[in-house]
């Protein structure tokens, strides 16, 4: 048990920036470039950790609290979701709600940290972030409801960890709809193309990046790191539905989990290479599609 | 008093003394006209004492899980006047006395006699009677007595909220409130009349004693739902609420929004407890009204730029969440699922207490802001957190709590309601499962919209740079204003971090609502993992503290240089370039324009050197302006001929009275 928790924590702490590296590499290869080293995100974070900071004179303690709360939240949330092991370190009835609301807490603090600068661009980004979350949250709840009904369980561990390929075949249709919806939600929540472009600094189309424009130094490093952990943790949600493989051998299951995370990263990289960013006014439609997909998934489960 | 107190336990005595203290708190002030302020201070201490005694009594009562009643000697022909305290009343007594004490103390700093000559005596008096009458409302055990104290409550709040009646806005809001509350009372008359038909007396019937499948039962249920729903602010009966909360003095808004709305919830819960297993559509109806109030309420809130109007719409949202909990509990009752009934009712009752704390906190915070800036417009504020550090911290706690975010109390009660929805989904087969399933995504949507709304308020009002008006002397209120806010904020944190300490109290009240729950095997600790939530909340707080220490130390050691906010090459960013609440909410308002009917006014910018342009946006109270007012206008034109009866000639009025009396006399001896 102690080893399990330790490995769980190590996975959550060490692996996430690698996914960002894999996504960047995939995109580079698709574009015909060789791209940055896979470990580049680690170097970036380490470099920022050693830099001095610039704080706008308009900011208060709220500006500093934003990244700190976000990091604490994603690491706490990482303890609630299983990573290929049979159980997450914390598992109880309704932990998926805590999981969801923890991310909302992070969003709350990220947004007020952005508004603390008084910049109109960051205000714009925060308004978009708050708006799109309203469309994404019901979709997540629909998929949790469907999973709860399928598994008869109220916790992420029960919903996700004990699935097998047989389940996937029996409940193929609703689960496929959930997967589709969740994939869209994960792209939206992590501000990837087609919702946002994490590489651009063209403010007019940005959501998440524009909110952290004013952050610098170690705090900015933490923001990059926290974003990677968030991708990793939300990815785990998808992976357990998409690859419901449980061999019974712990080491093998962890291996499968890590490989599927890398596969997810490659998929995201391919999506980003193949698609352009959507026009801002179209984003609500795509999120509505995700909500409808998950709602139909639930409907199929209930029928 | 001692006649009352015979054979009554200590806890009930504490509540009675507290009620008496609160009711009398404003009286000394009426006779101390020559020494302004003295009466207000006396009233504040009376209310604080009442708060300490009343909350203690209610909490003891909840732990002892019993009910006690005492007979008042009255000679009116409406049956025995009985007051009683059971755990269900006790859970509502806590917010009444807690918020009453906070508001009383706050008033000393917020509405000081030195600035408000004359009105402060009236305000203190009606604040006291409001607290006392609400305490009697939850204790009244007789229909006639209930209506009397209900009317006392409505009138006390009316006189308290219209204290600045020189202002036209205030008078209008007061009028709408008065009409709405009396329409509600009218339905309560209908309800109690039919209760008398069914039970044969004005005493409230025993728990579970009425048959819910008769026509009378349906009528009683609907009359209670609309009559009490109008007081609670359930959509679409909420029309009086935004204007009334916005124009009242802030601590009265806190009382009305944090506590008085809950009297409507109390009424609904109490009346529902009279019936045995209700038909399924009762629960569905309450649930649907809850979802509508929740979602539409918060959408309206997003469109508001007046800080108190915005908070008022959030009350509608939170009443919606409470109604969702009640609806789920009713559905659980119909389906015989005691888990669902217990989770739903506990969630609703805990959210009642939680909403009372964080909403009063937010209204007191808003009062503090208005005290400093002398405006309610969010778009004129900005950067207040530097000048009002305590208020902004408390307001932040309230904002996080009202959004239902961990680790604060709002999360705990929403969590219970969510769990009820999930267990309803799993416990039921067939199409019925879809009904509880509807509640969870609705709650998620409400939560996300609430986050959007409160980052807007907090971000625009407290953060960034001061906008158009900035007075140099903006400062915090005195300790009388800060203490209540800090107390309420600490309660929000306490319930959030130690929810398992509060859950026995809520469970005891839910058992009083439905005694068969106590006999079943459902218990809150086994249904809701509150200890685990506390553990995760604790871990989260610990991580935040550790990270703050480590990372901020690192930041400090590497050197910090100040700069201006980076605004993409603009050399001189000005405060007027900041996002406003209007621009922040624009996307969401547009997405929901179908319900909100927002109005945008702008002048076109033309030419190379355009003239000054203006933009403004406004989200009206659609239900009032487009539904009720046209309807009422129609009625008015239809019944205009009846006006002739009312013509101002006194001798004819006397004749009316005489005729009525004589006919009544004949009727009674027929």
């Amino acid at each position: 048990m102690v080893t399990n928790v330790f490995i769980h924590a190590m996975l959550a702490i060490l692996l996430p920036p690698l996914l960002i590296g894999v996504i960047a590499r995939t995109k580079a290869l698709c574009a015909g470039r060789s791209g940055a080293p896979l470990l580049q995100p680690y170097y970036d974070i380490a470099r920022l950790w050693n830099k001095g900071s610039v704080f706008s004179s308009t900011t208060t303690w709220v500006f500093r609290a934003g990244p700190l709360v976000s990091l604490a939240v994603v690491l706490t949330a990482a303890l609630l979701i299983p990573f290929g092991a049979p159980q997450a370190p914390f598992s109880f009835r309704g932990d998926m709600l805590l999981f969801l609301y923890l991310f909302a807490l992070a969003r709350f603090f990220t947004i007020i940290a952005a508004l603390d600068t008084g910049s109109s661009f960051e205000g714009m980004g925060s308004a978009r972030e708050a708006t799109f979350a309203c469309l994404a949250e019901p979709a997540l709840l629909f998929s949790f409801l469907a999973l709860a009904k399928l598994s008869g369980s109220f916790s992420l561990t029960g919903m996700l960890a004990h699935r097998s390929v047989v389940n996937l075949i029996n409940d193929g249709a609703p689960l496929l709809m959930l997967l589709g919806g969740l994939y869209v939600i994960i792209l939206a929540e992590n501000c990837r193309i087609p919702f946002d472009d994490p590489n651009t600094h063209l403010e007019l189309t940005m959501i998440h990046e524009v909110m952290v424009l004013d952050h610098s130094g170690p705090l900015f490093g933490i923001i990059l790191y926290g974003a990677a952990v968030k991708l990793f943790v939300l990815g785990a949600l998808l992976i357990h539905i998409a690859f419901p493989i449980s061999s019974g051998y712990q080491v093998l299951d962890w291996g499968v989990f890590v490989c599927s995370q890398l596969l997810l990263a490659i998929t995201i990289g391919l999506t980003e290479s193949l698609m352009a960013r959507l026009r801002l006014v179209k984003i609500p439609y795509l999120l509505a599609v995700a909500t409808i997909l998950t709602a139909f998934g639930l409907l199929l489960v209930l029928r | 008093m001692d006649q009352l107190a015979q054979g009554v336990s200590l806890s009930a005595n504490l509540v009675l003394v507290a009620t008496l203290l609160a009711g009398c708190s404003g009286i000394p002030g009426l006779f101390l006209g020559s020494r302004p302020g003295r009466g207000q201070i006396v009233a504040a201490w009376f209310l604080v004492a009442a708060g300490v005694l009343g909350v203690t009594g209610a909490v003891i009562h909840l732990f002892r899980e019993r009910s006690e009643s005492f007979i008042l000697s009255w000679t009116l022909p409406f049956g025995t006047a009985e007051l009683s305290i059971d755990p269900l009343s006790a859970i509502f007594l806590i917010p009444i006395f807690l918020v009453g004490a906070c508001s009383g103390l706050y008033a000393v700093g917020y509405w000081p006699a030195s600035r408000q000559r004359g009105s402060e005596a009236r305000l203190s008096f009606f604040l006291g009677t409001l607290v006392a009458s609400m305490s009697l409302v939850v204790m009244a055990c007789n229909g006639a007595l209930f209506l009397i104290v209900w009317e006392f409550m409505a009138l006390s709040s009316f006189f308290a909220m219209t204290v600045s009646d020189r202002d036209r806005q205030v008078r209008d809001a007061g009028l709408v409130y008065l009409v709405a509350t009396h329409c509600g009372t009218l339905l309560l008359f209908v309800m109690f009349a039919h209760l008398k038909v069914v039970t044969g007396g004005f005493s409230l019937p025993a728990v579970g004693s009425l048959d819910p499948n008769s026509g009378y039962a349906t009528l009683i249920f609907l009359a209670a739902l609309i009559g009490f729903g109008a007081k609670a602010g359930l959509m679409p009966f909420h029309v009086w609420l935004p204007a009334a909360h916005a124009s009242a003095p802030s601590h009265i808004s806190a009382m009305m929004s944090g506590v008085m709305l809950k009297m409507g919830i109390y009424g609904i819960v109490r009346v529902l407890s009279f019936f045995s297993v209700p038909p399924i559509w009762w629960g569905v109806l309450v649930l649907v009204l809850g979802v509508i109030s929740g979602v539409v309420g918060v959408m309206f809130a997003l469109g508001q730029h007046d800080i108190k109007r915005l908070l008022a719409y959030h009350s509608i949202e939170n009443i919606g969440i409470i109604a969702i909990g009640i609806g789920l509990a009713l559905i659980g009752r119909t389906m015989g699922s005691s888990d669902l009934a217990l989770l739903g009712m506990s969630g609703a009752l805990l959210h009642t207490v939680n909403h009372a704390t964080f909403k009063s906190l937010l209204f007191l915070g808003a009062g503090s802001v208005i005290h400093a800036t002398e405006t309610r417009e969010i778009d004129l504020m900005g950067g207040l957190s530097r000048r009002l550090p305590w208020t902004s911290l408390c307001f932040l706690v309230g904002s996080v709590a009202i959004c239902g975010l961990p680790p604060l109390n709002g999360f705990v009660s929403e969590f219970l309601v969510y769990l009820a929805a999930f267990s309803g989904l799993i416990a039921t087969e067939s199409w019925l499962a879809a009904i509880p399933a509807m509640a969870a995504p609705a709650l998620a949507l409400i939560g996300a919209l609430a986050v959007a709304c409160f980052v807007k308020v907090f971000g625009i009002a407290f953060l960034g740079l001061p906008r158009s008006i900035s007075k140099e002397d903006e400062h915090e209120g005195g300790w009388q204003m800060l203490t209540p806010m800090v107390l309420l904020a600490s309660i929000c944190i306490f319930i959030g971090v130690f929810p398992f300490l509060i859950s026995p109290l809520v469970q005891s009240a839910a058992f009083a609502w439905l005694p068969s729950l106590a006999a079943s095997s459902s218990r809150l600790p086994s249904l809701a993992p509150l200890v685990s939530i506390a553990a995760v909340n604790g871990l989260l707080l610990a991580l935040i503290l550790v990270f703050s220490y480590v990372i901020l130390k690192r930041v400090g050691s590497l050197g910090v240089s100040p700069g201006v906010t980076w605004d993409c090459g603009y050399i001189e960013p000005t405060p007027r370039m900041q996002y406003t609440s209007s621009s922040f909410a624009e996307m969401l308002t547009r997405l929901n324009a179908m319900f909100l009917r927002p109005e945008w006014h702008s002048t076109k910018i033309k030419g190379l050197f355009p003239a000054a342009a203006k933009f403004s946006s406004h989200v009206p109270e659609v239900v009032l302006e487009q539904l009720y007012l046209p309807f009422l206008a129609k009625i008015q034109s239809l019944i205009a001929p009846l006006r002739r009866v009312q013509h101002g000639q006194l001798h004819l009025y006397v004749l009316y009275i005489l005729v009525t009396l004589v006919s009544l006399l004949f009727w009674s001896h027929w």
Side-chain angles (χ1 to χ4, degrees):
Chain A
M1 186 62 205
V2 178
T3 354
N4 276 2
V5 172
F6 180 73
I7 292 178
H8 187 98
M10 284 299 114
L11 282 178
I13 292 170
L14 295 179
L15 210 52
L18 181 64
L19 297 186
I20 306 290
V22 171
I23 294 177
R25 196 61 179 270
T26 313
K27 285 169 77 175
L29 288 177
C30 282
R33 293 178 283 121
S34 53
L38 281 176
L39 297 183
Q40 187 62 42
Y42 295 93
Y43 306 147
D44 288 346
I45 292 166
R47 195 187 66 225
L48 285 166
W49 184 248
N50 289 315
K51 287 211 165 202
S53 311
V54 181
F55 287 121
S56 159
S57 51
T58 61
T59 58
T60 59
W61 63 273
V62 174
F63 183 74
R64 293 157 182 72
L68 298 172
V69 173
S70 304
L71 183 65
V73 160
V74 287
L75 289 178
T76 311
L79 294 175
L80 295 173
I81 191 162
F83 287 164
Q87 216 174 2
F90 275 104
S91 164
F92 49 86
R93 283 166 69 92
D95 57 5
M96 70 280 183
L97 301 167
L98 189 54
F99 181 79
L100 194 65
Y101 273 68
L102 279 173
F103 283 115
L105 180 70
R107 188 167 70 237
F108 190 102
F109 273 88
T110 312
I111 295 178
I112 59 173
L115 288 172
D116 199 18
T117 60
S119 149
S120 45
F121 285 118
E122 298 192 32
M124 189 174 66
S126 355
R128 290 172 183 176
E129 171 96 349
T131 306
F132 298 144
C134 295
L135 300 164
E137 299 255 297
L140 275 168
L141 238 296
F142 276 124
S143 37
F144 283 145
L145 282 165
L147 289 172
K149 185 73 179 174
L150 279 177
S151 63
S153 166
F154 278 18
S155 80
L156 284 169
T157 294
M159 286 174 183
L160 299 174
H162 296 290
R163 313 204 60 77
S164 73
V165 183
V166 182
N167 287 129
L168 188 63
I169 295 165
N170 283 345
D171 303 313
L175 285 182
L176 269 181
M177 290 186 158
L178 291 195
L179 278 178
L182 281 177
Y183 186 63
V184 174
I185 296 299
I186 286 175
L187 293 182
E189 282 282 309
N190 290 293
C191 304
R192 315 294 313 185
I193 290 175
F195 295 95
D196 187 6
D197 188 347
N199 293 331
T200 182
H201 281 265
L202 185 68
E203 291 78 8
L204 288 176
T205 49
M206 293 196 315
I207 306 167
H208 182 259
E209 298 304 307
V210 78
M211 290 200 292
V212 298
L213 268 181
D214 257 278
H215 285 281
S216 53
L219 285 176
F220 186 54
I222 282 173
I223 289 174
L224 291 183
Y225 177 67
V229 181
K230 186 175 177 188
L231 179 66
F232 183 79
V233 169
L234 285 177
L237 186 66
L238 191 75
I239 281 166
H240 281 283
I241 306 171
F243 306 103
I245 300 157
S246 157
S247 63
Y249 294 102
Q250 197 68 96
V251 181
L252 197 62
D253 283 349
W254 276 321
V256 169
F257 176 76
V258 172
C259 290
S260 21
Q261 280 280 14
L262 296 177
L263 197 64
L264 178 67
I266 294 172
T267 317
I268 293 177
L270 287 175
T271 314
E272 297 207 336
S273 307
L274 295 174
M275 286 191 78
R277 196 174 41 220
L278 275 178
R279 275 178 63 205
L280 196 76
V281 286
K282 303 275 185 204
I283 289 180
Y285 301 134
L286 186 54
L287 287 169
V289 166
T291 310
I292 291 167
L293 269 178
T294 49
F296 270 112
L298 174 64
L299 209 65
L300 284 183
V301 171
L302 284 179
R303 108 211 106 121
Chain B
M1 198 54 222
D2 39 44
Q3 214 184 359
L4 281 179
Q6 266 167 19
V8 172
S9 71
L10 173 71
S11 58
N13 261 325
L14 287 178
V15 174
L16 287 176
V17 172
T19 308
L20 209 63
L21 272 177
C24 301
S25 64
I27 294 175
L30 299 177
F31 301 101
L32 288 171
S34 56
R35 310 172 86 173
R38 186 66 60 84
Q40 204 180 20
I41 291 164
V42 172
W45 288 117
F46 266 52
L47 279 175
V48 169
V52 173
L53 298 178
V55 173
T56 317
V59 169
I60 295 175
H61 221 82
L62 279 167
F63 271 118
R64 290 169 65 226
E65 296 191 20
R66 52 180 279 199
S67 88
E68 275 182 88
S69 60
F70 20 91
I71 315 280
L72 295 170
S73 51
W74 87 353
T75 50
L76 293 177
F78 300 112
T80 49
E82 194 182 347
L83 290 176
S84 98
I85 310 182
D86 64 351
L88 192 56
S89 333
I91 196 104
F92 284 88
L93 284 170
I94 296 177
I96 293 174
F97 286 115
L98 174 69
V99 181
C102 290
S103 304
L105 189 57
Y106 185 88
V108 179
Y110 179 70
W111 202 264
S114 52
R115 285 209 300 185
Q116 318 282 349
R117 286 305 275 275
S119 66
E120 98 284 349
R122 166 178 167 186
L123 197 56
S124 319
F125 178 73
F126 286 114
L127 178 62
T129 53
L130 180 59
V131 173
S133 58
M134 286 195 292
S135 147
L136 290 172
V137 161
V138 297
M139 289 194 288
C141 250
N142 167 293
L145 178 65
F146 186 94
L147 284 173
I148 292 171
V149 287
W150 183 264
E151 201 52 29
F152 253 103
M153 171 183 82
L155 291 179
S156 308
S157 52
F158 169 75
F159 286 120
M161 69 163 273
T162 53
V163 72
S164 3
D165 48 16
R166 297 230 171 111
D167 186 343
R168 186 182 168 81
Q169 255 188 345
V170 174
R171 286 201 306 271
D172 286 351
L175 186 66
V176 174
Y177 170 59
L178 205 61
V179 172
T181 185
H182 283 117
C183 289
T185 311
L186 210 60
L187 280 156
L188 296 188
F189 269 101
V190 172
M191 183 196 86
F192 281 113
H194 285 87
L195 269 180
K196 174 163 194 276
V197 173
V198 176
T199 63
F202 281 107
S203 290
L204 299 189
V207 176
S209 64
L210 300 187
D211 169 26
N213 291 311
S214 65
Y216 282 128
T218 308
L219 195 68
I220 292 171
F221 167 67
L222 288 178
L225 192 61
I226 302 175
F228 287 124
K231 180 60 75 179
L234 210 54
M235 260 188 194
F237 319 117
H238 66 283
V239 288
W240 61 272
L241 196 151
H245 286 14
S247 36
S250 293
H251 59 292
I252 300 299
S253 314
M255 277 314 281
M256 290 175 80
S257 186
V259 193
M260 197 182 69
L261 302 186
K262 309 304 164 23
M263 296 302 108
I265 294 295
Y266 167 79
I268 292 174
V269 172
R270 179 64 83 189
V271 168
L272 287 172
S273 79
F274 299 155
F275 296 97
S276 58
V277 185
I280 187 83
W281 68 268
W282 289 23
V284 176
L285 181 63
V286 176
L287 180 65
V288 169
L289 282 180
V291 168
I292 294 174
S293 299
V295 176
V296 184
V298 67
M299 278 180 188
F300 271 109
L302 254 166
Q304 308 300 321
H305 318 312
D306 172 332
I307 190 166
K308 286 176 74 182
R309 253 186 114 78
L310 181 146
L311 290 176
Y313 275 109
H314 270 284
S315 295
I316 300 174
E317 169 224 323
N318 280 283
I319 291 292
I321 295 175
I322 295 171
I324 292 175
I326 297 174
L328 287 168
L330 277 178
I331 292 173
R333 211 177 159 195
T334 311
M335 296 189 314
S337 160
S338 55
D339 288 4
L340 179 50
L342 180 61
L343 280 173
M345 191 42 76
S346 310
L349 292 175
L350 184 57
H351 203 70
T352 303
V353 176
N354 287 345
H355 180 244
T357 48
F358 53 66
K359 184 46 72 64
S360 324
L361 169 61
L362 288 169
F363 265 118
L364 297 186
S368 195
V369 168
I370 295 163
H371 186 76
T373 61
E374 290 174 2
T375 177
R376 302 202 308 242
E377 287 294 319
I378 300 168
D379 286 344
L380 299 178
M381 300 168 185
L384 287 173
S385 70
R386 289 167 184 279
R387 279 154 297 160
L388 310 175
W390 284 99
T391 304
S392 75
L393 189 64
C394 291
F395 202 91
L396 181 63
V397 170
S399 306
V400 175
I402 199 173
C403 294
L405 298 176
L408 299 183
N409 60 351
F411 175 73
V412 180
S413 43
E414 280 193 35
F415 181 79
L416 293 177
V417 179
Y418 265 120
L419 271 189
F422 270 83
S423 59
L425 172 79
I426 291 182
T428 49
E429 289 304 322
S430 81
W431 64 274
L432 275 178
I435 298 163
M438 188 182 82
L443 278 172
L445 179 61
I446 294 170
L449 285 165
V451 169
C453 196
F454 272 93
V455 293
K456 172 185 114 169
V457 183
F458 189 74
I460 307 290
F462 288 94
L463 303 177
L465 289 171
R467 288 185 172 72
S468 30
I469 52 151
S470 166
K471 296 190 297 152
E472 286 307 307
D473 60 339
E474 281 171 10
H475 59 86
E476 288 279 24
W479 66 271
Q480 301 98 330
M481 285 167 75
L482 292 180
T483 314
M485 288 196 277
V486 172
L487 174 70
L488 290 168
S490 331
I491 294 174
C492 288
I493 297 171
F494 178 80
I495 299 182
V497 181
F498 303 105
F500 51 89
L501 294 178
I502 306 298
S503 62
L505 305 182
V506 180
Q507 178 172 277
S508 146
F511 285 170
W513 177 68
L514 183 57
S516 68
L517 284 179
S520 74
S521 60
S522 301
R523 288 293 178 275
L524 217 42
S526 62
L527 286 176
L530 296 176
V531 178
S532 306
I533 289 183
V536 176
N537 281 348
L539 178 73
L540 177 70
L541 289 175
L543 277 182
I544 293 175
L545 285 180
V546 170
F547 287 165
S548 314
Y549 181 73
V550 174
I551 294 167
L552 292 181
K553 206 171 165 192
R554 178 79 187 167
V555 169
S557 71
L558 290 170
V560 172
S561 38
V564 280
T565 296
W566 192 74
D567 244 359
C568 304
Y570 287 108
I571 298 167
E572 277 187 50
T574 78
R576 293 194 56 212
M577 286 164 54
Q578 293 175 102
Y579 247 46
T580 61
S581 66
S582 178
S583 41
F584 192 91
E586 193 234 353
M587 282 182 91
L588 274 167
T589 321
R590 262 184 216 280
L591 281 176
N592 301 313
M594 203 174 75
F595 302 109
L596 304 184
R597 315 262 159 171
E599 296 160 9
W600 285 292
H601 310 282
S602 59
T603 41
K604 273 253 167 15
I605 298 175
K606 274 186 245 161
L608 281 178
F609 297 98
K614 255 188 181 175
F615 172 86
S616 65
S617 70
H618 172 61
V619 172
E621 173 47 65
V622 177
V623 183
L624 181 67
E625 288 177 15
Q626 301 197 1
L627 199 73
Y628 287 108
L629 288 184
F631 174 71
L632 290 176
K634 189 127 240 168
I635 288 191
Q636 194 187 13
S637 64
L638 277 178
I639 60 173
L642 277 180
R643 281 266 179 83
R644 252 172 265 161
V645 180
Q646 188 193 16
H647 34 53
Q649 292 176 5
L650 197 63
H651 56 281
L652 281 178
Y653 286 176
V654 175
L655 184 69
Y656 293 162
I657 294 172
L658 188 71
V659 169
T660 313
L661 277 176
V662 169
S663 41
L664 278 177
L665 214 71
F666 270 107
W667 185 56
S668 63
H669 286 281
W670 204 251

